[in-house]
Amino acid sequence: MLTPKEIAYEVTKALDAKKGQNIKLLKIDRVSSLADYFLICTGTSNTHVNTLCDEVEKVMTEAG
């Protein structure tokens, strides 16, 4: 089982591989009890954003 940090990095790498833009990974564990990391990424079109979302879902499924 991967740690939250490892999952965040895997998702970040996947978004980068799919040409996600302006990728920002913020560590928020000290200010939020909801999550450890907050990931921001933009795409160039609706189709691109859908592809990025599908890739994140795939990585999260593989991570368990």
Side-chain angles (χ1 to χ4, degrees):
M1 180 114 162
L2 299 175
T3 66
K5 182 178 182 179
E6 292 169 331
I7 293 170
Y9 285 132
E10 289 298 318
V11 171
T12 302
K13 288 191 305 187
L15 290 171
D16 186 53
K18 292 291 184 181
K19 308 297 185 206
Q21 298 178 345
N22 303 319
I23 301 170
K24 303 290 184 211
L25 180 61
L26 308 172
K27 187 173 182 183
I28 62 167
D29 62 337
R30 292 184 185 212
V31 295
S32 173
S33 60
L34 182 65
D36 292 333
Y37 294 91
F38 188 76
L39 182 62
I40 303 168
C41 178
T42 59
T44 57
S45 67
N46 285 342
T47 304
H48 187 214
V49 171
N50 287 334
T51 301
L52 294 171
C53 290
D54 290 344
E55 189 65 19
V56 168
E57 185 176 354
K58 176 183 167 190
V59 171
M60 294 296 290
T61 301
E62 290 173 358

